[in-house]
Amino acid sequence: MTTTVYFIGAGPGDPELLTLKGHRIIGEADIIIYAGSLVNPEVIAHRKPDARVYNSAGMNLQEITDLMIEAKEKKLLLARVHTGDPSIYGSIREQIEVIEPQGVTYEVIPGVSSFVASAAALGKEFTVPEISQTVICTRFEGRTPVPDLEQIELLASHQTSMAIFLSVQMMGSLCKRLMTHYPANTPVAVVEKATWPEQRIVRGTLADIAGKIEEAGIRKTAMILVGRFLGEEYNYSKLYDATFTHEYRKGTNE
């Protein structure tokens, strides 16, 4: 069965971080719907000259899904291009629930999320032996509420690595609530437009990052990373420890 709609993760901004499969489908698509407020236009620059292009920033759900149903009826290929990875704040489920009963076939192509792109920009890893082995991806409540059990204080109680999306405009309130469990000196990094040419990084602590962000004028399109993994304290992995034995290597202490 021929696939009609491809939900494609465009990655965080750098067009070279688009997957090979996503790049190919965009180049073959008859219709492209992309999140123009977030996706770098260079991601779709290699499209066919006659491809119809729509910016979803100014569209509602019905307008988007009507195009998908049209693509099925006319046997066209449609690329629905989302920022980052579609599985994280991609809102693909509501689109799929409309088109699936109409017999529209689809496939989801994953992409590089901004939270891992931000860690890469910082040269850090979320999982550091004996420091943090868990990553929490979340957002602060704003116009869209979060479930009661996912209130930021409850998540902060784990004091593990956190990647906080869509929240930089509420930095002051966010930091106050994080400090109900994290120490005030917990490292924080804010990465604006990760991997874009205009990428900016602001570092600080929960105690001072809000002021630094206000001074920098960062108000959107930024990832907030919180946790001790950003600090200088860490422990070496056992994987490459010369004295450690595992399936593929015998340690020097044996």
Side-chain angles (χ1 to χ4, degrees):
M1 184 180 293
T2 302
T3 301
T4 298
V5 174
Y6 286 87
F7 294 94
I8 300 172
D14 183 349
E16 291 189 301
L17 291 177
L18 181 67
T19 63
L20 292 173
K21 187 170 186 177
H23 185 275
R24 175 176 63 80
I25 296 298
I26 290 170
E28 296 173 357
D30 302 297
I31 302 173
I32 298 171
I33 308 173
Y34 79 111
S37 61
L38 297 169
V39 173
N40 188 338
E42 291 298 314
V43 168
I44 63 170
H46 66 290
R47 64 188 180 274
K48 297 192 300 188
D50 59 345
R52 292 158 52 190
V53 179
Y54 298 85
N55 182 348
S56 63
M59 302 171 71
N60 60 41
L61 178 61
Q62 183 173 341
E63 291 169 335
I64 292 169
T65 54
D66 281 351
L67 284 172
M68 295 176 177
I69 295 168
E70 177 194 342
K72 180 242 180 181
E73 293 172 345
K74 294 182 177 178
K75 295 181 169 52
L76 301 175
L77 179 64
L78 188 148
R80 175 67 170 110
V81 185
H82 287 262
T83 186
D85 180 87
S87 70
I88 302 180
Y89 303 110
S91 300
I92 62 172
R93 182 172 178 175
E94 61 196 43
Q95 299 169 70
I96 291 170
E97 287 183 347
V98 174
I99 66 173
E100 200 168 37
Q102 301 301 316
V104 178
T105 54
Y106 65 90
E107 181 180 334
V108 180
I109 300 175
V112 176
S113 174
S114 59
F115 85 97
V116 290
S118 296
L122 293 163
K124 297 291 187 179
E125 56 183 304
F126 288 107
T127 53
V128 182
E130 300 178 52
I131 299 298
S132 174
Q133 293 292 283
T134 303
V135 187
I136 295 176
C137 294
T138 190
R139 54 176 290 277
F140 193 42
E141 61 183 348
R143 294 174 62 187
T144 303
V146 301
D148 288 343
L149 292 177
E150 296 178 25
Q151 293 295 315
I152 203 73
E153 294 91 345
L154 295 178
L155 300 180
S157 67
H158 299 285
Q159 294 192 32
T160 189
S161 305
M162 291 186 73
I164 305 174
F165 293 70
L166 307 169
S167 304
V168 74
Q169 71 276 16
M170 300 174 285
M171 200 72 196
S173 299
L174 171 64
C175 290
K176 286 179 182 177
R177 291 175 62 175
L178 287 171
M179 283 190 287
T180 58
H181 290 285
Y182 284 103
N185 65 352
T186 300
V188 181
V190 174
V191 183
E192 180 188 37
K193 304 196 79 169
T195 78
W196 290 66
E198 57 267 40
Q199 171 185 287
R200 286 195 294 170
I201 297 173
V202 178
R203 294 176 173 86
T205 66
L206 285 175
D208 64 17
I209 192 68
K212 291 182 176 183
I213 291 304
E214 184 177 0
E215 183 179 350
I218 298 176
R219 296 181 177 85
K220 61 179 181 178
T221 324
M223 173 60 57
I224 304 166
L225 304 183
V226 180
R228 291 171 60 207
F229 77 97
L230 293 168
E232 299 305 317
E233 179 187 359
Y234 70 99
N235 293 290
Y236 280 63
S237 167
K238 295 293 186 184
L239 181 62
Y240 302 113
D241 185 337
T243 66
F244 186 73
T245 296
H246 57 69
E247 181 181 358
Y248 299 101
R249 191 191 68 228
K250 181 174 287 188
T252 57
N253 62 347
E254 293 191 11

